[in-house]
Amino acid sequence: KCDLPNKNISKIKNEMMQYELIAEDLSGDTLFVEVSATQKSNLDKLKDSILLQSEILDLKASIIGTASGVVIESKIDKGKGPVSTILITNGLLKKGDYFVCGNTWGKIRAMISHEGKNIEEATPSMPVEILGMNGSAFAGAEFLVIENEDKAKEIAEFRKSDNSSTKKIIAKDKTTLFENKDDKDELNIIIKSDVQGSSEALKMAINKIEHEEVKANIILSDIGMINETDVSLAKASNALLIGFNVKPNREAKKLAEEQKIDIKFYNIIYEALEYIEKGLSGLLEPDIKEKVLGSAEIQKIFKVSNAGKIAGSKVVNGEIKNKSKARLIRDGVVVYSGEISSIFREKNAVKEVKNGLECGISLKDFIDFKEKDIIESYEAEKIERSI
């Protein structure tokens, strides 16, 4: 925020108070450092503040024992496969170690430092990119070194089965809740992104879109190239398919063309959100704005062999238009709503009749006319709504 020309640091600090983050200069205990990455200002102050805080809190980690850490970022690289950036929080991580990370497991085939160099070991506080995972991990997932391959597989498989059961229960509960209490229209969305962080940021932004009539339903959010399975799922669930910094493979592109699935590609989150908001707006029922054109009072009823009953009327206000929407009002109560099917004046069909003139009016699918009934001619304009 410090890079913005209209920055207001005091306002930001006040807004952060709602999350119980109170700056030190406001008698709180949260450190605030005004940093600009583009101008490289106050970076040394940020470093000093972090070191001071860690010293005060006595933050320490041991390099003895098996390593543990947390996933900072995850992606699928064309040449390397699933790749994750791990921040080591404890122990010593070595090349060749077996590990579990969320629902995935693997053996470290290579470790790359933040400088892009291959390393053999990583100590606490070191961010390293690791290769050798059997699948992509979620950002924030716990990373833990395991003694052998069999144990790592066993733990990963147990977590997968446990998560699968939980998801089924949650899905069942959500369905019941939707059927009983929530009658919102849903917009299904599939997200494929290059890295886990982008996917999570987009999901969080989408989940913040709230409306009393419609809601976004993310049925899949994953990293990697868009494939045939994604296209098939979009077709089956009538979902928006969004690629964030990724493209479809050849088979998926061909299938999308055959199935007439429109894949949207973005690299800026707010542009993707605008597209989703337009999709949600399309689910909203439009507002109907009526414009009364005129009204006529029935004075006599005629029977015509070809047209059935005709209401001999006099226009008392505005004008009566042929093929316009109409309602018949009797003693202040609307007894018919429909359309004017024809208007006659001196035995000739006309398009409209002005105020003060007499005419014969027939209504679509209605013949129960009575004298003194009022026929009101109006137009209904649909006004599209947006969230």
Side-chain angles (χ1 to χ4, degrees), residues 77-118:
D77 189 278
K78 276 188 177 181
K80 301 175 183 176
V83 177
S84 290
T85 301
I86 309 295
L87 181 65
I88 308 302
T89 56
N90 203 60
L92 181 67
L93 181 64
K94 296 175 287 185
K95 183 178 177 180
D97 282 346
Y98 289 99
F99 63 87
V100 289
C101 187
N103 296 339
T104 65
W105 70 277
K107 179 182 179 181
I108 295 180
R109 293 189 286 107
M111 287 193 295
I112 304 170
S113 71
H114 67 282
E115 297 174 333
K117 297 178 181 179
N118 282 299

Side-chain angles (χ1 to χ4, degrees), residues 117-382:
K117 297 178 181 179
N118 282 299
I119 57 176
E120 298 294 320
E121 295 179 344
T123 56
S125 80
M126 284 184 65
V128 289
E129 191 175 78
I130 62 169
L131 281 66
M133 309 184 81
N134 75 329
S136 59
F138 288 98
E142 182 186 17
F143 174 89
L144 187 65
V145 170
I146 302 298
E147 55 197 31
N148 57 56
E149 181 179 0
D150 292 337
K151 193 71 174 176
K153 283 183 179 179
E154 182 183 345
I155 294 172
E157 289 300 321
F158 173 78
R159 288 180 176 180
K160 277 185 181 178
S161 61
D162 191 44
N163 283 351
S164 178
S165 302
T166 304
K167 284 179 181 177
K168 286 179 182 178
I169 294 170
I170 292 172
K172 185 176 180 181
D173 289 345
K174 281 185 176 179
T175 303
T176 307
L177 182 64
F178 179 76
E179 288 175 350
N180 294 337
K181 298 182 181 179
D182 194 351
D183 58 354
K184 292 183 180 181
D185 285 334
E186 288 189 345
L187 179 67
N188 291 330
I189 302 168
I190 297 172
I191 302 169
K192 292 298 288 286
S193 62
D194 57 339
V195 294
Q196 194 69 45
S198 299
S199 177
E200 290 298 318
L202 189 53
K203 279 172 59 180
M204 287 177 64
I206 292 170
N207 289 331
K208 287 180 180 177
I209 302 174
E210 295 183 353
H211 196 275
E212 59 185 10
E213 296 176 38
V214 295
K215 67 178 178 180
N217 179 32
I218 302 172
I219 60 176
L220 175 67
S221 176
D222 204 356
I223 59 176
M225 190 177 292
I226 296 171
N227 54 42
E228 291 174 282
T229 304
D230 302 322
V231 176
S232 299
L233 180 60
K235 177 68 175 179
S237 58
N238 192 28
L240 300 181
L241 181 51
I242 296 173
F244 195 83
N245 282 332
V246 295
K247 296 290 183 180
N249 60 30
R250 185 180 301 174
E251 292 78 11
K253 189 174 182 180
K254 183 180 178 182
L255 182 61
E257 291 172 354
E258 291 173 355
Q259 299 289 341
K260 293 182 171 54
I261 299 296
D262 189 18
I263 306 175
K264 294 292 184 180
F265 306 102
Y266 297 97
N267 54 19
I268 299 174
I269 287 180
Y270 78 81
E271 290 181 352
L273 289 177
E274 284 181 357
Y275 173 63
I276 291 167
E277 286 176 353
K278 285 180 181 177
L280 287 168
S281 297
L283 296 178
L284 294 174
E285 290 292 331
D287 286 331
I288 306 298
K289 183 179 180 181
E290 288 188 3
K291 178 184 177 183
V292 177
L293 302 174
S295 56
E297 183 182 281
I298 299 177
Q299 297 182 335
K300 196 171 183 179
I301 301 163
F302 303 94
K303 287 185 178 180
V304 180
S305 57
N306 294 332
K309 285 187 177 181
I310 301 292
S313 311
K314 182 178 180 179
V315 181
V316 294
N317 184 41
E319 61 182 4
I320 303 295
K321 281 189 176 182
N322 192 23
K323 303 301 180 185
S324 68
K325 292 185 177 296
R327 59 174 68 93
L328 187 136
I329 303 169
R330 181 176 298 157
D331 298 327
V333 179
V334 176
V335 296
Y336 166 83
S337 291
E339 183 181 295
I340 294 176
S341 57
S342 58
I343 303 175
F344 297 94
R345 181 162 167 73
E346 297 178 354
K347 298 184 179 181
N348 296 317
V350 294
K351 291 184 178 180
E352 59 185 41
V353 180
K354 302 288 185 181
N355 183 26
L357 300 178
E358 295 182 344
C359 62
I361 303 173
S362 66
L363 300 178
K364 186 177 180 181
D365 302 325
F366 186 84
I367 57 173
D368 185 25
F369 299 112
K370 291 185 179 180
E371 293 181 7
K372 302 297 183 181
D373 284 350
I374 300 295
I375 297 175
E376 194 172 70
S377 171
Y378 67 96
E379 291 177 343
E381 179 186 1
K382 288 185 177 180

